[in-house]
Amino acid sequence: MTTTLTINGQSHQVDLPDDVPLLWVLRDALGMTGTKYGCGVSACGACTVHINGLAVRSCQVALSDVDGDVTTIEGLGTPDNMAALQKAWVAHQVAQCGYCQSGQIMQAAALLAENTAPTDVDIDAAMDGNLCRCGTYGRIRAAIKTAAAEMRGA
């Protein structure tokens, strides 16, 4: 069955079974490899994308359940026009191994879309479930605060 998806503002048609996880649609069918496979059970957050602005674990969303616009890390910003969050990630040198970072950034972007002045408690609550094996949580929090300040014009 052919399904039409809007991903990063562009229409894509895929001919896949309805139960294929969105993660594999993105990575295997469409070649959007910025979204990572981490655990496959929604426990690590590496596969986080947005559907209608809501952060979701793409490993647990079946193709048939995608109802709305999908944004991946590739749609957040470009190398020439990075989002405030991506600039802050670079400035704070958040990434160590980098594997979890696209999921971390997408989760943080969902937070900042709703709250441009998050406290440490807000950040910790929003980022809970996004694991970083390298332990750069302090840098992640600092980058989110920097991006939030830039978004507020501070």
Side-chain angles (χ1 to χ4, degrees), residues 57 89 103-105 107-109 111 122-131 137 140 144:
R57 306 301 192 247
W89 235 253
Q104 297 276 1
I105 290 170
Q107 187 70 42
L111 165 65
D122 296 333
I123 293 169
D124 292 347
M127 300 304 291
D128 186 41
N130 282 76
L131 302 179
Y137 297 112
I140 290 168
I144 292 170

Side-chain angles (χ1 to χ4, degrees), residues 67-120:
D67 184 21
D69 295 341
V70 177
T71 304
T72 68
I73 191 73
E74 291 94 344
L76 196 59
T78 65
D80 294 329
N81 186 23
M82 287 191 288
L85 195 54
Q86 291 167 306
K87 290 179 200 173
W89 235 253
V90 171
H92 286 277
Q93 299 179 358
V94 173
Q96 194 163 338
C97 84
Y99 198 81
C100 70
Q101 297 309 305
S102 59
Q104 297 276 1
I105 290 170
M106 294 305 290
Q107 187 70 42
L111 165 65
L112 293 178
E114 292 185 14
N115 181 356
T116 59
T119 65
D120 287 349

Side-chain angles (χ1 to χ4, degrees), residues 17-69:
D18 286 345
D19 63 346
V20 172
L22 177 59
L23 173 63
W24 301 120
V25 173
L26 296 170
R27 290 185 60 81
D28 293 348
L30 300 175
M32 296 179 185
T33 57
T35 303
K36 305 300 183 201
Y37 171 78
C39 66
V41 295
S42 191
C44 73
C47 68
T48 303
V49 299
H50 296 173
I51 299 178
N52 292 329
L54 179 66
V56 298
R57 306 301 192 247
S58 63
C59 70
Q60 296 297 300
V61 177
L63 178 58
S64 62
D65 292 334
V66 177
D67 184 21
D69 295 341

